[in-house]
Amino acid sequence: MAQPDRTPSRVCPNCDGFPAVAVTLGGRDRTGALRTITAHCPACHGTGVRAVRRTVSAAW
């Protein structure tokens, strides 16, 4: 059976495929858990992949 032709998705060069990370704020809350925030990659908007650029060549 033939495989479909799909362009492989490209991993974002800015985050290397790790689009969201948890950053500790340096303290603990009243229950003793670390306070964290989630930061998303601004280049890929938290998806981990970038769109493949396609160039249109002129046919002479």
Side-chain angles (χ1 to χ4, degrees):
M1 181 172 188
Q3 297 294 322
D5 284 336
R6 289 186 0 182
T7 304
S9 60
R10 294 187 53 210
V11 174
C12 175
N14 293 347
C15 65
D16 289 329
F18 295 97
V21 295
V23 180
T24 63
L25 297 175
R28 295 188 181 266
D29 61 7
R30 286 184 247 186
T31 63
L34 282 174
R35 293 184 304 157
T36 61
I37 59 171
T38 304
H40 297 284
C41 175
C44 65
H45 305 289
T47 61
V49 294
R50 295 288 302 258
V52 178
R53 285 189 175 184
R54 297 182 189 245
T55 58
V56 178
S57 60
W60 298 93

